[in-house]
Amino acid sequence: MAAPKTLDLTGAVELLRTARRIAVVGASPRPWRASNSVMRYLLDQGYECVPVTPKRDVILGRTCYPTLEAAVSASGPFDIVDVFRRPEFTPDIARSVVATGCGALWLQLGVVNDEAARIADEGGVAVVMDRCTAVVHRQVSV
């Protein structure tokens, strides 16, 4: 079976350049967590970020949704779904990304799952894997 197609750095840069709306799956209210600092950075850069995590109402002043489906139902599809979850949870997230018509699945630094990438790729969704949105943004000054 061939490896799933993922975007290289140039593709990831272009994705960030054209994106406006980002769902942050696994967002945390804790300021020391990577998901919190990355979401804060993306908000500061002008992206519209929507936190997706159960059991929270608000993170960084933004309404939080328990699932990607709930977030899309409330506000429409996202350009990027930025995932801060362990790799074993990402295939189900990839299925949700495809089902909700979002544009890209972005698995954060250290999050690698070929099955999730394959699900998204076969569903016509761009995939970035094992890269941080904030780090890529800072490196290239999108």
Side-chain angles (χ1 to χ4, degrees):
M1 184 177 285
K5 180 182 169 196
T6 59
L7 297 178
D8 61 7
L9 180 58
T10 302
V13 167
E14 186 59 26
L15 183 57
L16 282 173
R17 197 171 270 139
T18 59
R20 289 294 125 228
R21 301 187 72 240
I22 301 174
V24 182
V25 176
S28 173
R30 297 178 179 102
W32 60 87
R33 300 294 302 260
S35 62
N36 186 283
S37 60
V38 168
M39 184 172 152
R40 182 181 308 279
Y41 173 82
L42 294 170
L43 286 166
D44 289 347
Q45 300 309 307
Y47 292 97
E48 177 190 343
C49 295
V50 175
V52 177
T53 193
K55 300 180 185 173
R56 299 288 176 192
D57 294 326
V58 176
I59 295 176
L60 295 176
R62 302 302 191 269
T63 299
C64 192
Y65 296 90
T67 64
L68 182 61
E69 289 82 358
V72 170
S73 177
S75 66
F78 295 91
D79 300 316
I80 298 173
V81 177
D82 195 3
V83 180
F84 290 86
R85 296 292 314 274
R86 291 194 315 254
E88 62 266 27
F89 297 115
T90 60
D92 284 339
I93 295 167
R95 288 181 192 93
S96 292
V97 170
V98 171
T100 56
C102 294
L105 173 68
W106 189 304
L107 301 181
Q108 273 292 324
L109 196 60
V111 182
V112 176
N113 188 300
D114 286 341
E115 179 186 0
R118 188 170 292 105
I119 290 164
D121 182 40
E122 289 175 358
V125 172
V127 179
V128 176
M129 191 161 46
D130 196 23
R131 291 188 189 272
C132 176
T133 47
V135 169
V136 170
H137 191 277
R138 283 185 188 117
Q139 285 177 337
V140 298
S141 301
V142 171

